[in-house]
Amino acid sequence: FIDADPGVIAASVAWPPGSAMVQAVEADGAIVVVGFQTPSPGEKAVGIAVRLDPGTLAETGRIEIEGPERGTSAVLESVAVDASGRIIMGGSWGLAVDAIEGLKSFGNIVDGRGIAIAVDPAAWNAAGAATTTPSALGAAVREVPEVHSIKSLRTADAAIVAVGHDDDEVSGMV
């Protein structure tokens, strides 16, 4: 975060090694950053969405998404806000931890199934600074098995456009 003077860094935030901040958006007066964290090399990754105070970048809330099957990973790599103000997150789950390597180099995840999550910011705010899950917030979760990951999200009026890729790394809208 750069203050009005481009030579001054007003605040910064860092995640531990084995983590990646992939995309950020302004939502409901906060900054929402999505990505993933891997506790130790070779361990499964957990998809992370954090809500940050825009002035200090202090963490004010966290959502964690685990893989749906035992031992599988989840990652988030896209975030947008729809016309109603919901926070829409996209990524992948059900993937092996070594399939994430492509994402770290801005490539494609080569395993897993796409996932889209819609979170009501009021429900997330009500949870406070505690770590929570989409189900605890009553969030809508939709698996998109036609793609390995939802890489990009855009909203227009009442529509949500998501871009993902398949086994042949062919991208398409879902």
Side-chain angles (χ1 to χ4, degrees), residues 26-39:
E26 183 180 352
D28 196 43
I31 299 169
V32 175
V33 180
V34 298
F36 67 90
Q37 291 185 327
T38 306

Side-chain angles (χ1 to χ4, degrees), residues 14-170:
W15 283 357
S19 304
M21 292 183 211
V22 182
Q23 197 172 77
V25 69
E26 183 180 352
D28 196 43
I31 299 169
V32 175
V33 180
V34 298
F36 67 90
Q37 291 185 327
T38 306
S40 298
E43 287 189 40
K44 68 179 182 172
V46 176
I48 301 289
V50 294
R51 186 180 59 229
L52 302 173
D53 177 279
T56 64
L57 299 183
E59 188 173 306
T60 61
R62 174 182 289 249
I63 298 171
E64 294 187 354
I65 297 102
E66 294 190 358
E69 296 88 26
R70 183 177 173 85
T72 63
S73 293
V75 299
L76 293 173
E77 59 176 325
S78 56
V79 62
V81 178
D82 73 6
S84 70
R86 291 182 310 165
I87 301 164
I88 312 298
M89 298 176 279
S92 180
W93 71 351
L95 64 153
V97 71
D98 60 352
I100 299 169
E101 197 58 39
L103 174 60
K104 291 181 185 176
S105 61
F106 302 99
N108 288 332
I109 292 172
V110 294
D111 190 15
R113 302 176 303 280
I115 185 171
I117 302 166
V119 175
D120 177 354
W124 194 4
N125 287 334
T131 298
T132 189
T133 64
S135 61
L137 297 175
V141 177
R142 179 170 179 242
E143 187 172 287
V144 186
E146 297 85 3
V147 297
H148 287 306
S149 186
I150 295 180
K151 300 181 65 63
S152 180
L153 290 164
R154 298 292 180 267
T155 59
D157 299 322
I160 299 169
V161 178
V163 175
H165 68 280
D166 61 15
D167 283 337
D168 297 323
E169 294 194 16
V170 174

